[in-house]
Amino acid sequence: MTWSVVHDGDGFPRVILTDGGGSSAEVLLYGGQVVSWKNERREELLFTSSKTSVRPQKDVRGGIPIFFPQYGSFKSVDLSGFARNRLWALDSSPAPLPPLKNHSSVDLILRSTNEDVRIWPRSFELRLRIILGPNKLTLIPRVRNTDNKDFSFTFGIRNYISVSDVSEVRVEGLETLDYLDNIMGRERFVEQPDAITIDGEVDRVYLNTPTKIAVIDHEKKRTLVLRKDGLPDAALWNPWNKKARTMPDFGDGDFNVMLCVDSAAVETPINLKTFQEWRGHQELSTVSSSYCSGQLDPRKVLFG
């Protein structure tokens, strides 16, 4: 159970995490972004665009980007914040971690710079712990206010999930909830009582969501379970074919093999007093699913 830092040909540093069972994860220091998570069978669980090229000063389309200090539209800050476009560092003084068998972890840190303060006039420390375990990937973000004034922010963890066919995927756990539809100018709607399926462009933020959401992939006979804490909202995103064609870092047909399911704090900003710290938690895990009357039974995942 170990990790190592490697440099690509262009000098782009990344951290490689491995565990005793054959699982692995790759994390770019640029953006503090997980770009690969493979299970013990070496199957890739995260989507990365076929047109993505890893190079300095360019965020990667795919993996698990971190959105801070903004998730969603805000005039003075980039739509998804700037943390994903900064070079992070290895944290030399992380919080103690209880020993976990067959787990590997790395701690990253992003401190505000003069450039950041010009965009968002606040001083902060953003820490991220990434833990790889058997069939599990955990992210623990922490934001500390190092400014002499209180500040507020929104936060998001975007999970680009690799799927066999997005039109065959079901999402469980968001039924009957209120959501903001970004395609409809952030108009508020109520979700239907059935499992969510994707048959076109989707860009929604679900409010006050449960701590567990399941993404059921029929063809792969696999369910990905997202558990979260401190991140009350969730989002679904897929550009579908028409919008994907206008995106230079999206390959032909890529939209069909991915679905973004985000953990977020967006409706109610997080407020921090000076030297106060916020902590979030997200765990992704995979379980094998079985068919029940021709369909997968998500109740065993959500409530079992």
Side-chain angles (χ1 to χ4, degrees):
M1 286 64 69
T2 185
W3 61 268
S4 60
V5 178
V6 300
H7 294 264
D8 293 339
D10 55 9
F12 208 67
R14 67 176 68 201
V15 177
I16 309 296
L17 294 165
T18 57
D19 75 359
S23 300
S24 67
E26 297 184 19
V27 187
L28 298 180
L29 292 188
Y30 187 79
Q33 183 172 349
V34 178
V35 292
S36 175
W37 173 33
K38 294 180 180 178
N39 61 19
E40 69 280 0
R41 294 183 297 276
R42 308 304 298 159
E43 296 169 333
E44 180 59 66
L45 303 173
L46 301 178
F47 163 85
T48 301
S49 170
S50 60
K51 284 192 175 181
T52 288
S53 60
V54 178
R55 59 186 187 273
Q57 311 306 313
K58 178 66 176 178
D59 59 311
V60 172
R61 172 70 69 182
I64 308 178
I66 301 297
F67 294 168
F68 170 85
Q70 182 66 32
Y71 181 96
S73 59
F74 189 61
K75 292 182 179 179
S76 62
V77 181
D78 182 271
L79 181 67
S80 301
F82 50 72
R84 64 195 176 100
N85 293 309
R86 297 290 185 269
L87 183 63
W88 296 48
L90 296 172
D91 192 350
S92 60
S93 56
L97 178 67
L100 295 171
K101 187 178 181 181
N102 295 329
H103 286 67
S104 181
S105 68
V106 66
D107 289 272
L108 307 181
I109 187 169
L110 179 68
R111 292 186 173 93
S112 52
T113 65
N114 291 335
E115 179 184 1
D116 298 332
V117 171
R118 285 195 293 269
I119 299 172
W120 189 60
R122 301 292 183 266
S123 178
F124 65 88
E125 290 180 349
L126 169 56
R127 285 180 162 86
L128 180 64
R129 172 168 290 170
I130 302 165
I131 306 171
L132 174 71
N135 299 313
K136 187 180 299 183
L137 184 68
T138 302
L139 278 72
I140 304 175
R142 293 185 292 147
V143 177
R144 183 174 176 82
N145 181 354
T146 59
D147 206 273
N148 57 11
K149 296 180 180 179
D150 301 353
F151 65 63
S152 62
F153 62 94
T154 54
F155 196 93
I157 301 175
R158 167 148 289 184
N159 303 289
Y160 282 85
I161 299 170
S162 175
V163 299
S164 55
D165 182 341
V166 70
S167 64
E168 298 296 328
V169 164
R170 295 167 59 203
V171 180
E172 299 279 348
L174 302 175
E175 300 89 337
T176 72
L177 296 180
D178 286 3
Y179 68 87
L180 304 177
D181 193 325
N182 290 318
I183 299 174
M184 302 294 291
R186 297 179 69 83
E187 188 174 349
R188 195 171 185 130
F189 296 93
V190 177
E191 187 54 82
Q192 61 185 352
D194 301 320
I196 298 171
T197 56
I198 311 298
D199 59 4
E201 182 183 356
V202 61
D203 188 355
R204 300 173 182 172
V205 176
Y206 290 83
L207 309 174
N208 297 314
T209 60
T211 58
K212 187 186 296 186
I213 300 167
V215 180
I216 302 144
D217 193 323
H218 296 268
E219 185 173 329
K220 292 182 182 291
K221 295 183 174 64
R222 182 174 68 207
T223 296
L224 186 141
V225 181
L226 184 155
R227 294 177 174 87
K228 58 191 179 67
D229 184 56
L231 296 158
D233 307 316
L236 294 181
W237 182 77
N238 183 291
W240 213 246
N241 56 349
K242 184 177 180 180
K243 185 172 183 179
R245 285 196 295 267
T246 69
M247 304 169 68
D249 57 354
F250 236 86
D252 294 339
D254 277 357
F255 78 94
N256 198 47
V257 293
M258 57 76 62
L259 177 65
C260 285
V261 183
D262 303 354
S263 302
V266 57
E267 184 185 34
T268 303
I270 300 163
N271 298 301
L272 286 183
K273 297 182 181 299
T274 300
F275 301 126
Q276 190 175 17
E277 184 176 272
W278 165 84
R279 172 175 168 159
H281 186 279
Q282 175 188 278
E283 176 191 287
L284 297 175
S285 60
T286 59
V287 295
S288 297
S289 301
S290 58
Y291 282 92
C292 178
S293 301
Q295 292 186 327
L296 299 173
D297 186 357
R299 291 173 296 179
K300 294 180 180 179
V301 177
L302 288 172
F303 308 112

